Amino acid sequence: MEKLGKNDTVIELCNKLLSKSPFNPWALNTKGLACNELGKHTDALSYYAMVLTIEPQNVTALLNTANTLSFLGKYSESILYYDKAQQQEKSSSASRAKSEAYQKLGKEDEA
């Protein structure tokens, strides 16, 4: 119950910020994370997509998208986003998560 209230508050604060600055990548990413926590994964992906429209190389949005897709079992799609994130910044968490996605696809040799 506490998590629900916290995330609702985060979404409200992001909405206030977005009403003044509708293309704020930080607010869109943060709202996406809160939606994810509430189980609203499709909404979260749409907020990350908005960030990537504004800033195509935004590593946070790339990783958030990849993690959400992986959580939803869309491993092939998630790998594409992990690759894009790694092109922008070497990240051990992206490498590890990408390996896990390959393993879940049964492609351990690519992991």
Side-chain angles (χ1 to χ4, degrees), residues 58-109:
N58 186 300
V59 175
T60 302
L62 290 167
L63 289 173
N64 287 342
T65 300
N67 291 335
T68 302
L69 289 168
S70 187
F71 177 81
L72 295 172
K74 297 179 179 186
Y75 304 115
S76 295
E77 286 180 68
S78 72
I79 289 167
L80 297 173
Y81 284 92
Y82 287 128
D83 282 341
K84 288 178 185 179
Q86 284 182 302
Q87 289 172 6
Q88 300 306 313
E89 168 182 298
K90 293 293 179 202
S91 166
S92 60
S93 64
S95 294
R96 203 170 25 257
K98 182 176 148 185
S99 292
E100 289 173 16
Y102 271 121
Q103 289 172 353
K104 289 179 180 176
L105 285 171
K107 297 181 178 183
E108 286 81 8
D109 55 320

Side-chain angles (χ1 to χ4, degrees), residues 13-75:
L13 292 172
C14 288
N15 285 340
K16 286 180 184 178
L17 181 56
L18 290 166
S19 71
K20 295 177 182 177
S21 178
F23 303 108
N24 183 306
W26 180 87
L28 291 165
N29 256 321
T30 303
K31 188 172 180 178
L33 287 170
C35 287
N36 239 349
E37 288 288 319
L38 293 171
K40 298 177 179 180
H41 307 295
T42 303
D43 291 345
L45 287 170
S46 70
Y47 291 115
Y48 304 145
M50 287 181 210
V51 174
L52 294 172
T53 299
I54 300 162
E55 295 179 354
Q57 278 91 39
N58 186 300
V59 175
T60 302
L62 290 167
L63 289 173
N64 287 342
T65 300
N67 291 335
T68 302
L69 289 168
S70 187
F71 177 81
L72 295 172
K74 297 179 179 186
Y75 304 115

